[in-house]
Amino acid sequence: MEGMVRFDEKDREILETLRKEGRITLTELGRRLGLSPASVKNRIDKLKELGAIRGFSAVIDPSFLERYVKVFMLLKLKAEDPDVDRVLSKFAALDNVQAVYRTTGRTQVLIIAEFEDMDEMKRFAGRLKGSLGSLLEYIEWGTIYDSLKECWVTTGKRGSFHGRKGGYI
Amino acid sequence: MEGMVRFDEKDREILETLRKEGRITLTELGRRLGLSPASVKNRIDKLKELGAIRGFSAVIDPSFLERYVKVFMLLKLKAEDPDVDRVLSKFAALDNVQAVYRTTGRTQVLIIAEFEDMDEMKRFAGRLKGSLGSLLEYIEWGTIYDSLKECWVTTGKRGSFHGRKGGYI
DNA sequence: GCTGAAATTCTGGAGTG
DNA sequence: CACTCCAGAATTTCAGC
């Protein structure tokens, strides 16, 4: 064998597998790849160092955390500014925020977050507006009432969320 | 003790922790909760049965899988129909699809997916249009060029994606 | 939910190609 | 440099309470 000079098919398989089975054992992963558990561990450590693996997560039904409102928000900015990412990082750190993406297109930010109720969502949106100030033009949003797939995990129908319509804030 | 008849604060902490540290050991989790590893395991098994835990996933930088284009798509439907979920389930099963959400608001579907290049994205969108036929009005989309947080994992800046603007298809 | 013991997995170092 | 082997450590699992 020539070793893992760069990045080979086995590394790719490790990444693909860990996405779908985040808690698979090194032994089982090694069995599938034809590698020893120690080699798999070496590769995973390397993949973390390289930044290929950012972390591990469980896919949780939010209603068990008493968060009955899941929403996506699209932020339309008036202007780009270094402050935007600074503000977004602050909100990204919140426990009820699942994802914060910077995007191209009509809007510039996509946020996915969960809330106990509509009031909490409104307060969140209010703080977002307050923090971004004149940089924000509007927030388009909608509730997420079903997840066919989430974080690479195919999820059967889950308990439905409140069926309130989205709109503009 | 009466056991885990329903769902208590420790279960909630397990779910919250597993979201952020999907590969934490039962021992460490038990240490934080003041429970034995065996108890933690029992609870996690129960939480899986209940559907609170849907699965586990690693957060991967897609560029290591040679997917250099990450996008979100918002599908505006002309009408609701049982076929919609059937078609969406088919696309949700694809390896390059991260999430498929059913939503309220101006659009009815939110998809997040990764592609090797723009051509592959276009083909995907084309198949989506073909499969949904007259049920689909339009797809609004944009590229995701930075993830401040994803699947509950705060991710530093990653390699930037192609900076092509989004639009309507 | 706990305990204790057995089975499995993980980890780090030495040796090999 | 990556791999395997191997032994010790840690974790997981399963029984009984």
Side-chain angles (χ1 to χ4, degrees):
Chain A
M1 290 303 124
E2 62 179 75
M4 183 172 65
V5 178
R6 292 185 77 75
F7 188 89
D8 61 19
E9 192 51 39
K10 285 182 164 56
D11 291 308
R12 183 186 176 95
E13 277 194 56
I14 288 173
L15 297 184
E16 296 263 19
T17 303
L18 285 178
R19 264 192 173 168
K20 298 178 194 168
E21 300 165 72
R23 269 185 94 93
I24 190 175
T25 63
L26 304 182
T27 304
E28 169 61 13
L29 200 42
R31 196 191 58 72
R32 295 187 195 175
L33 293 168
L35 289 175
S36 69
S39 288
V40 177
K41 176 161 194 301
N42 286 340
R43 283 173 181 261
I44 289 178
D45 288 345
K46 177 80 74 176
L47 291 168
K48 284 181 187 167
E49 280 174 27
L50 287 172
I53 299 175
R54 303 281 182 180
F56 295 90
S57 180
V59 180
I60 303 298
D61 182 333
S63 65
F64 283 82
L65 298 173
E66 285 153 277
R67 305 217 185 99
Y68 301 103
V69 179
K70 183 159 186 159
V71 307
F72 71 97
M73 296 182 178
L74 301 168
L75 275 57
K76 173 75 166 72
L77 302 177
K78 285 204 175 96
E80 276 298 343
D81 188 288
D83 277 351
V84 171
D85 277 341
R86 201 174 42 72
V87 169
L88 291 177
S89 295
K90 200 180 64 179
F91 282 87
L94 298 175
D95 272 348
N96 63 317
V97 173
Q98 176 175 351
V100 178
Y101 294 118
R102 297 294 266 109
T103 75
T104 66
R106 180 176 55 83
T107 53
Q108 291 78 39
V109 182
L110 169 58
I111 297 174
I112 297 173
E114 299 169 352
F115 304 96
E116 295 191 6
D117 52 35
M118 270 309 157
D119 279 348
E120 198 194 354
M121 189 281 268
K122 290 284 185 187
R123 287 195 298 274
F124 178 91
R127 290 201 307 276
L128 211 43
K129 289 172 66 175
S131 296
L132 289 171
S134 61
L135 291 172
L136 181 65
E137 189 170 330
Y138 61 80
I139 301 173
E140 181 184 347
W141 65 279
T143 61
I144 294 171
Y145 63 87
D146 196 15
S147 303
L148 283 71
K149 192 177 194 179
E150 183 170 52
C151 299
W152 311 97
V153 174
T154 302
T155 62
K157 288 223 176 248
R158 65 170 56 172
S160 57
F161 295 98
H162 295 155
R164 173 149 170 187
K165 298 276 290 181
Y168 291 82
I169 300 174
Chain B
M1 289 304 122
E2 59 180 76
M4 186 171 63
V5 178
R6 294 187 84 75
F7 188 88
D8 62 17
E9 191 53 38
K10 285 182 164 55
D11 291 308
R12 182 187 176 97
E13 277 193 57
I14 288 173
L15 297 184
E16 297 263 20
T17 304
L18 285 178
R19 264 191 173 167
K20 297 178 194 168
E21 300 165 73
R23 270 184 91 93
I24 189 174
T25 63
L26 304 182
T27 304
E28 169 61 14
L29 201 42
R31 195 190 59 71
R32 296 187 196 176
L33 294 168
L35 289 176
S36 69
S39 291
V40 176
K41 171 92 168 26
N42 286 340
R43 284 173 182 261
I44 289 178
D45 289 345
K46 179 77 74 175
L47 291 168
K48 284 180 186 168
E49 280 174 28
L50 288 171
I53 299 175
R54 303 283 182 176
F56 294 91
S57 181
V59 180
I60 303 298
D61 183 335
S63 65
F64 283 82
L65 298 173
E66 285 154 277
R67 306 218 184 98
Y68 301 104
V69 178
K70 184 160 187 159
V71 308
F72 72 97
M73 296 182 178
L74 300 168
L75 275 56
K76 174 76 166 73
L77 301 177
K78 285 204 176 95
E80 275 298 345
D81 188 288
D83 276 352
V84 171
D85 277 341
R86 201 174 41 71
V87 168
L88 291 177
S89 296
K90 201 180 62 179
F91 282 87
L94 298 175
D95 272 348
N96 63 316
V97 173
Q98 176 176 348
V100 178
Y101 295 118
R102 297 294 267 110
T103 75
T104 67
R106 180 176 54 83
T107 53
Q108 292 78 38
V109 181
L110 168 58
I111 297 174
I112 298 172
E114 300 169 351
F115 303 96
E116 295 191 5
D117 51 36
M118 271 307 160
D119 279 348
E120 197 194 355
M121 189 280 269
K122 289 284 185 186
R123 288 196 298 274
F124 179 92
R127 291 200 306 276
L128 210 43
K129 289 171 66 175
S131 296
L132 288 171
S134 62
L135 292 171
L136 181 66
E137 189 169 331
Y138 61 80
I139 301 174
E140 180 184 348
W141 65 279
T143 61
I144 295 171
Y145 63 86
D146 196 15
S147 303
L148 282 70
K149 192 178 195 179
E150 183 170 53
C151 299
W152 311 96
V153 174
T154 301
T155 61
K157 288 221 176 247
R158 64 170 59 173
S160 57
F161 294 98
H162 295 156
R164 172 150 171 187
K165 297 276 290 181
Y168 291 81
I169 300 174

